[in-house]
Amino acid sequence: MRCFWLLACFVVLSSARTSQDSEKMRFDNYSVYELNISNKMQLKLINRLCDASEKYNIWKYYDNQSRKMHVMVDPTEVKRFLLLLKLYGISHEVLIANVQSLIDTETEANSRYSNTFGWKRYNTLAEIETWLDGILEKYSNVTEEFVVGTSYEGRTIRGIKISYKEGNPGVIIESNIHANEWITSATATWFINELLSSENQVVRELAENHDWYIVPVLNVDGFVYSHEKNRMWRKTRQPSNFSSCIGVDPNRNYDSHWMQNDGASDDPCSQVYGGSHAYSEPEIKAMSEFILSIKDKVNVLLAFHSYGQVLLSPYGHTAEEFPENYADLMQVAKAYADAVGTLSYGSVFQYGSVASVLYQATGATNDWAYEQGILISYTIEFRDSGNFGFVLPPAFILPNCEETLTGIIALLGECQKLGYLDAK
Ligand code: 0X9
Ligand code: ZN
Ligand code: ZN
């Protein structure tokens, strides 16, 4: 009898746990604040607060240029938070009053467009893969699938090579390394579709005179988790040996100045945790090996991120030094920003090295790729500048896609002029 009750309890408890696990996290009345930081004390306070409590989530880290931070705050913490801001004299503004209402807008788009693949809603990994299968079949004469590797949870990380002829300069696009940056895979898939189907002469030139290696979703585990459990998930999903916190910031995990100069955190609970060692994440180990395997044919690497509307060149580890071809990198970035600026949307893109315009960040794709000899290597932070942040409404997917296409055409045109697309 006793044994039965024990068993019953066990069943109830474990089912309670699984039902909780399978629930999707909600963000009702979670707000995102923009903080104006004017001294070190204020910065220390906010950083400590965010490190110590899960009730805070940094959406945008502090940078010396804007001197602003974006922080999402749990509604149960808001009173205390506002009191602290007052005590420390930190001026602020509400960017997003209720994160859940933005998530609801995304969900509504799914029912409006009846869960069919497209660019008026955000697609799941399964939908992206089914679409990719169709594309590979339809354009089998100019496309080829490649497999980057296998994720921690055992998913296949897939990519598509598009090549119309031999001897083209190569361009790598890495997208959705950060799980919650959904606009990146939406844009990467649209871009693939344009390269293959556009009849615009300029796009045809773009498609046919470059070899494209595009990975629409690199952080597959995190991406699935962000769809199914927690919209704000950024990292990978590999558990830590030292903590109950899960995941590593994959864009801190490449072997480039790994963990130096405070460019990443050694706290497994941090959003910018660098991992137990470089390449601790199978996704990053695999991507680095894939890039090495083709690097002799590759002239340009673009890592798609959101948000902030900025093109970031190396270096991330220091603002004291700059790449040898920094002037060229800035000229090419300017071409992108200027081209986007000519569109009717009026989006403004900034540019500069990571450490000089943002903050010190190490172990990122574009720095590592640069060190491997890919001399045109950028992180592109897409829309927006914080009004919607990571939860960019589906209505802005297509405008972002058009901006990106226009920007990349100009970027590669400038690279061509400067001789960066010649055979290596
Ligand atoms: O911090 C990052 O990883 C990127 N920003 S994001 O908001 N998308 O997380 C910027 C990466 C900059 N690149 C380098 N550190 N090289
Ligand atoms: Zn190392
Ligand atoms: Zn990112």
Side-chain angles (χ1 to χ4, degrees):
M1 194 60 184
R2 208 207 238 144
C3 195
F4 169 77
W5 282 115
L6 266 175
L7 188 69
C9 277
F10 179 72
V11 169
V12 168
L13 279 174
S14 57
S15 69
R17 171 167 326 128
T18 48
S19 79
Q20 198 182 33
D21 270 4
S22 64
E23 256 169 49
K24 209 178 209 168
M25 179 159 180
R26 291 188 58 87
F27 292 88
D28 296 291
N29 299 315
Y30 279 64
S31 303
V32 179
Y33 291 84
E34 180 171 81
L35 310 178
N36 297 301
I37 305 291
S38 50
N39 61 53
K40 280 204 171 126
M41 227 183 25
Q42 296 177 343
L43 183 59
K44 237 186 201 157
L45 167 82
I46 302 299
N47 281 337
R48 285 232 178 107
L49 215 54
C50 296
D51 278 351
S53 165
E54 286 188 5
K55 297 191 167 178
Y56 297 91
N57 181 334
I58 300 181
W59 277 30
K60 196 193 89 56
Y61 281 82
Y62 172 83
D63 69 85
N64 272 317
Q65 200 128 314
S66 74
R67 303 175 137 248
K68 290 177 198 296
M69 283 177 91
H70 299 167
V71 182
M72 180 174 76
V73 185
D74 184 313
T76 64
E77 183 72 10
V78 164
K79 254 195 184 155
R80 212 170 83 94
F81 178 63
L82 292 177
L83 189 67
L84 282 168
L85 294 186
K86 205 171 191 180
L87 274 171
Y88 280 74
I90 302 175
S91 73
H92 65 272
E93 193 185 306
V94 176
L95 285 175
I96 302 173
N98 181 2
V99 171
Q100 186 61 42
S101 73
L102 292 182
I103 297 176
D104 292 344
T105 305
E106 289 180 340
T107 315
E108 280 156 26
N110 284 358
S111 37
R112 188 153 0 113
Y113 301 104
S114 58
N115 290 303
T116 47
F117 186 91
W119 294 282
K120 292 182 171 175
R121 55 176 283 264
Y122 288 106
N123 307 288
T124 63
L125 183 66
E127 288 165 339
I128 291 173
E129 295 208 25
T130 306
W131 170 82
L132 192 64
D133 288 334
I135 286 283
L136 287 161
E137 200 178 292
K138 185 168 174 191
Y139 299 98
S140 59
N141 52 333
V142 291
T143 65
E144 202 178 291
E145 172 171 18
F146 60 86
V147 168
V148 172
T150 307
S151 71
Y152 172 72
E153 289 177 346
R155 294 184 178 87
T156 302
I157 303 164
R158 303 171 63 191
I160 180 172
K161 177 182 177 187
I162 301 175
S163 176
Y164 281 82
K165 63 175 167 43
E166 298 261 298
N168 279 333
V171 182
I172 298 178
I173 292 180
E174 177 211 77
S175 162
N176 238 167
I177 187 175
H178 287 142
N180 55 348
E181 297 169 4
W182 289 5
I183 185 61
T184 60
S185 51
T187 304
T189 51
W190 183 86
F191 190 76
I192 292 167
N193 192 56
E194 282 300 296
L195 290 178
L196 293 168
S197 69
S198 171
E199 290 173 4
N200 177 316
Q201 208 34 55
V202 183
V203 181
R204 293 273 29 93
E205 195 278 337
L206 182 76
E208 294 171 20
N209 295 333
H210 306 86
D211 278 2
W212 299 90
Y213 302 86
I214 304 178
V215 181
V217 183
L218 175 56
N219 182 3
V220 283
D221 294 351
F223 187 65
V224 168
Y225 195 81
S226 73
H227 273 270
E228 295 179 354
K229 302 285 164 62
N230 178 350
R231 176 64 182 86
M232 297 325 306
W233 192 261
R234 167 185 172 92
K235 300 194 283 181
T236 57
R237 289 295 303 164
Q238 178 164 225
S240 158
N241 288 329
F242 319 105
S243 152
S244 62
C245 287
I246 287 179
V248 165
D249 182 342
N251 208 34
R252 299 289 181 283
N253 198 237
Y254 283 89
D255 193 5
S256 164
H257 299 273
W258 184 77
M259 283 292 209
Q260 292 173 14
N261 300 0
D262 291 320
S265 169
D266 60 6
D267 172 4
C269 296
S270 163
Q271 294 291 335
V272 291
Y273 175 44
S276 54
H277 54 274
Y279 301 137
S280 60
E281 304 314 284
E283 299 82 1
I284 298 313
K285 175 108 188 78
M287 187 65 181
S288 69
E289 283 168 3
F290 172 70
I291 295 174
L292 287 180
S293 76
I294 57 166
K295 73 168 186 183
D296 294 339
K297 298 179 279 186
V298 171
N299 308 56
V300 177
L301 177 134
L302 305 174
F304 285 2
H305 286 255
S306 73
Y307 58 93
Q309 299 184 185
V310 56
L311 265 86
L312 300 161
S313 83
Y315 298 126
H317 69 286
T318 175
E320 312 295 312
E321 285 169 49
F322 294 87
E324 235 171 88
N325 63 334
Y326 191 63
D328 290 351
L329 282 163
M330 291 304 97
Q331 186 177 330
V332 171
K334 180 177 189 300
Y336 185 107
D338 287 351
V340 170
T342 64
L343 297 177
S344 60
Y345 302 116
S347 300
V348 175
F349 274 71
Q350 313 281 348
Y351 47 88
S353 80
V354 174
S356 65
V357 295
L358 274 195
Y359 38 73
Q360 268 150 237
T362 53
T365 317
N366 72 311
D367 281 313
W368 178 80
Y370 182 83
E371 287 162 12
Q372 300 310 315
I374 302 176
L375 298 181
I376 299 291
S377 184
Y378 297 97
T379 296
I380 308 181
E381 301 278 1
F382 292 155
R383 289 183 179 214
D384 62 4
S385 15
N387 290 330
F388 301 107
F390 298 115
V391 204
L392 188 71
F396 296 124
I397 296 173
L398 281 170
N400 188 79
C401 291
E402 286 168 28
E403 281 174 355
T404 307
L405 175 62
T406 302
I408 291 178
I409 290 168
L411 179 148
L412 289 176
E414 204 64 22
C415 287
Q416 171 85 44
K417 274 191 215 158
L418 292 171
Y420 283 98
L421 302 187
D422 302 344
K424 290 183 91 177

